[in-house]
Amino acid sequence: MGDVVGVFADATGTTGFVGVGGTLTMLAVPGASYTEPVSISSTGEIVGSFVDQTGMHGFVDVGGSLTTLNAPSATGGTQALSVNSTGQIAGAFVDSAGLTHGFVDSGGSFTTIDMPGAAATVATGINDKGAVTGIYYDGAGTPHGFVDIGGSFTSLDIPGASGTEPFGIDNAGQIVGFYVDPAGNHGFLDNGAGLTALDVNDPPGTVSVATTPLSPVPEPSGLALLGVGLIGFSALRRRARNRASRRFRTADASCASDVQPKAVPTDYVIRM
C-alpha cells in the first residue's frame, strides 16, 4: 500500500516511525529505551521489537494499540521480524540455554522454527501463504538461507558466497536478501527462475541499481516448491566486519549485551 516503517536517530536516541501517505508519525513503546518497528502488513498491522529494563521483547501495533509479544520459551529476548496480512508473525527468541530459535505466532499459538542441524535459526520473513524464510547458522557461525514450507526445509546458498542472508518473501514466492563474496556485499533476488545480484550505484545526483544474473543457479528442487528462494533476522549475524550488520541483542537497559548461542561466534545476530 506504500506505507513504511523504520527507525530514526536524533540527539535523544533512536526510536521508530510510521510513514502513511507521506506523513511520518513517531512510534515508541512507552517505557522503552529503544523501539524498532520492522514490518507492516497490507492491513496496517505493525510488528517490531523494543528494549526496556527487563530485556528485549517483540511488539504488535494494531491501529495504535500496542501489545507486547514474548515467545513462551524465551528467557533471553524475543524479536518480531515479519507479519503477513492474516496476522501471522515470524521472528526469533533466545531460550534459557542461550540458543536462538525462529518462531511463527498464529493468533497466540507459537510454533518453533529450527533448521535441522543448525546451531541457531532466525525466521525473518513470512508471506500470506505461511511460507517462512530466514537465516540459520552452522557450527562455524556461517549464515545460510532457508525456506520452510509446511515444515519442509530447503537451504539457500548463493554460489561463491561466504554467507547468504534472506530477509523477505512475497506472495509470489520471490525472496530478497543479501550475500557476501570476495568483492563485498550484494543484494539478491530469487524469483524462482534464477538468482539476480542487486548492487546500488550512488554517483552524485543519481541512484541506480545494477542487476547481474548469477550462475550457476543452485539446484532448484526446494526452491521450486516455493516458486522461488529464501532469506530473512532477525537477527542477523555478520562475521565480516565491513557488512552493514544488524544485531539481535539481549536486553539489558542499555541494549549492550549480544546474545551468544552455543557454538556460534559472538558477531552474529539480528536487527532488521
Side-chain angles (χ1 to χ4, degrees), residues 99-242:
L99 298 176
T100 301
H101 310 268
F103 73 82
V104 171
D105 172 14
S106 301
S109 177
F110 282 78
T111 300
T112 299
I113 307 294
D114 285 313
M115 179 72 179
T121 303
V122 176
T124 57
I126 185 168
N127 68 13
D128 291 347
K129 299 176 182 179
V132 176
T133 65
I135 304 162
Y136 73 92
Y137 298 83
D138 60 27
T142 300
H144 309 267
F146 75 85
V147 60
D148 171 12
I149 302 176
S152 177
F153 288 81
T154 301
S155 184
L156 174 64
D157 285 297
I158 301 296
S162 59
T164 301
E165 304 190 28
F167 286 105
I169 180 171
D170 69 9
N171 291 337
Q174 297 184 113
I175 293 167
V176 293
F178 84 92
Y179 68 97
V180 179
D181 66 11
N185 302 324
H186 313 269
F188 76 82
L189 167 67
D190 180 354
N191 67 2
L195 292 162
T196 301
L198 308 174
D199 290 289
V200 173
N201 297 314
D202 188 14
T206 183
V207 174
S208 61
V209 177
T211 59
T212 307
L214 294 169
S215 60
V217 174
E219 178 59 41
S221 56
L223 303 184
L225 294 175
L226 183 59
V228 1
L230 64 107
I231 105 145
F233 204 151
S234 111
L236 308 210
R237 294 67 204 272
R238 319 306 188 235
R239 292 176 60 196
R241 294 285 193 251
N242 64 340

Side-chain angles (χ1 to χ4, degrees), residues 39-41 43 45-47 60 69 80-91 103-111 113 124-132 171:
S39 178
I40 183 169
S41 73
T43 61
E45 185 172 351
I46 298 167
V47 300
V60 182
L69 177 69
L81 298 172
S82 180
V83 59
N84 66 19
S85 66
T86 68
Q88 289 182 301
I89 299 167
F103 73 82
V104 171
D105 172 14
S106 301
S109 177
F110 282 78
T111 300
I113 307 294
T124 57
I126 185 168
N127 68 13
D128 291 347
K129 299 176 182 179
V132 176
N171 291 337

